[in-house]
Amino acid sequence: MSFLAEPKVIDSEKRDQLDADITLHLWSRTDVQTHTSWGAPIMWDGMFQADLYDLKHETDKSSVALTVFAVGRYLDAYLGAFLNSAEQHFMVGLPVKYYIFTDLPEKVPSLQLGPQRSLEVIRVQGHSRWQDISMTRMKTIADTIESDIRHHSTHVFCMDVDQVFAWRFGSEALSDSVALLHAYYYNSPKEMFTYDRNPKSCAFMLTGDFYYHAAVFGGSCTSVKAIAEACFRGILQDKDSGVEALWHDESHLNKYFWLHRPSKVLSPEYCWDPVLGQRQEIHVTRIRWAPKQYQALRPNV
């Protein structure tokens, strides 16, 4: 694998397929960057008409899988709030299937689901290191897309459990491949981005476009499977080399999106940390970080 390979640009055929995005008002938000250098929109409040996106995806019969890992003490601490808030705000009006990966399936809380919404609990192995939990999720996601999700859903979102939906997270977020700007780095100079700087790691990067947050990523089934498989290959190669990427699967995800640029980028309003306080450009908080309890919840902290 070449560490210095040139990034790929979205081909014109895929851009043409994103017809709902032609309704975006890119110039309605002069206070922020609303599109990338390769033509992908960066989604901010005030740029889109939600009803137009909903109509398109209802007409296209889009359906969405939402994967989340709730392993060990994370299940009791976060899963209930995550699922209940998702029922209120995530892809409302579209068919949604939740995939809950946990080592404690008997403890998954009961949930009253709305129409066209379902839930499947899948047992996974617990790990003594939280880093291993983080990194092995990529293989589990890829395997589940191949065996199950692709037969039922057109799109997949993969999310961390320690967050809560607080506002619409709707069909405007759907695209072939979707990345999220990290709330802590979206307006920072590139020199501050915490890419993996170890040349021995497959996640090694000298530079990039943005710093993406692994708490939320998604896209079509084909694209998300490719993302997860590539990240897991990098993790295995690092293991063979005796190294571990700085931010584990997030480091590999950033490398992937540098080489295979996303067709849509979500602004940090789609995953905001209240600790950062109020920012003038953050009009709404669609997902907010839940309070972190690393000392209590992570097995090796």
Side-chain angles (χ1 to χ4, degrees):
M1 182 176 183
S2 173
F3 294 131
L4 301 179
E6 285 297 314
K8 294 182 180 179
V9 177
I10 301 167
D11 61 63
S12 58
E13 183 179 350
K14 281 188 177 180
R15 285 296 306 159
D16 290 342
Q17 291 171 0
L18 308 180
D19 54 3
D21 291 340
I22 65 174
T23 66
L24 288 168
H25 305 293
L26 295 177
W27 309 114
S28 66
R29 292 294 303 271
T30 58
D31 56 329
V32 292
Q33 183 178 348
T34 58
H35 59 91
T36 67
S37 62
W38 61 92
I42 304 175
M43 303 299 287
W44 294 88
D45 183 60
M47 281 176 48
F48 61 89
Q49 293 178 257
D51 56 341
L52 293 180
Y53 276 93
D54 289 346
L55 178 60
K56 177 201 183 310
H57 285 284
E58 288 168 11
T59 302
D60 290 350
K61 299 189 183 305
S62 298
S63 53
V64 187
L66 175 54
T67 72
V68 63
F69 286 71
V71 178
R73 287 167 284 192
Y74 273 68
L75 189 153
D76 286 334
Y78 298 118
L79 184 59
F82 177 89
L83 290 173
N84 280 295
S85 63
E87 276 297 280
Q88 298 177 55
H89 301 294
F90 181 73
M91 300 293 167
V92 175
L94 293 181
V96 170
K97 184 172 182 179
Y98 302 104
Y99 289 81
I100 313 301
F101 300 100
T102 181
D103 56 338
L104 300 167
E106 68 280 359
K107 297 187 71 175
V108 172
S110 59
L111 182 68
Q112 185 159 357
L113 298 169
Q116 302 187 90
R117 298 170 88 91
S118 60
L119 183 149
E120 183 170 346
V121 178
I122 300 174
R123 182 186 289 274
V124 294
Q125 181 182 353
H127 293 274
S128 59
R129 299 172 69 247
W130 69 266
Q131 294 93 335
D132 293 330
I133 297 170
S134 173
M135 291 189 290
T136 55
R137 74 167 178 156
M138 289 298 188
K139 182 179 189 306
T140 303
I141 288 168
D143 289 348
T144 306
I145 290 172
E146 176 61 28
S147 65
D148 190 320
I149 294 174
R150 69 184 181 91
H151 301 291
H152 309 291
S153 302
T154 59
H155 296 79
V156 189
F157 265 98
C158 308
M159 298 192 182
D160 286 352
V161 71
D162 53 347
Q163 48 194 4
V164 177
F165 292 87
W167 202 260
R168 173 190 166 96
F169 193 117
S171 60
E172 76 282 351
L174 296 176
S175 190
D176 183 62
S177 62
V178 184
L180 167 74
L181 296 184
H182 199 295
Y184 278 76
Y185 300 105
Y186 72 100
N187 58 0
S188 299
K190 290 185 179 182
E191 293 75 20
M192 294 183 65
F193 294 172
T194 55
Y195 298 137
D196 190 283
R197 306 295 186 183
N198 181 0
K200 294 181 179 179
S201 173
C202 290
F204 169 67
M205 294 176 65
L206 289 173
T207 187
D209 301 304
F210 303 99
Y211 189 81
Y212 301 114
H213 193 179
V216 175
F217 66 94
S220 67
C221 289
T222 300
S223 290
V224 177
K225 182 172 180 277
I227 292 167
E229 288 177 336
C231 289
F232 189 64
R233 282 196 303 270
I235 290 165
L236 289 181
Q237 289 175 32
D238 279 2
K239 189 173 182 179
D240 289 343
S241 301
V243 297
E244 195 169 90
L246 178 63
W247 292 114
H248 315 105
D249 58 343
E250 183 168 276
S251 296
H252 291 279
L253 185 71
N254 271 274
K255 181 64 173 283
Y256 184 89
F257 279 136
W258 167 234
L259 298 177
H260 310 269
R261 286 163 160 165
S263 60
K264 181 167 286 184
V265 177
L266 303 181
S267 72
E269 70 189 32
Y270 282 84
C271 191
W272 184 252
D273 187 358
V275 171
L276 291 169
Q278 294 184 330
R279 300 280 178 88
Q280 189 172 7
E281 65 270 20
I282 305 296
H283 294 180
V284 299
T285 298
R286 302 182 186 278
I287 289 180
R288 67 172 182 270
W289 297 22
K292 307 304 179 185
Q293 305 174 48
Y294 295 143
Q295 292 292 332
L297 299 178
R298 287 185 171 176
N300 60 317
V301 172

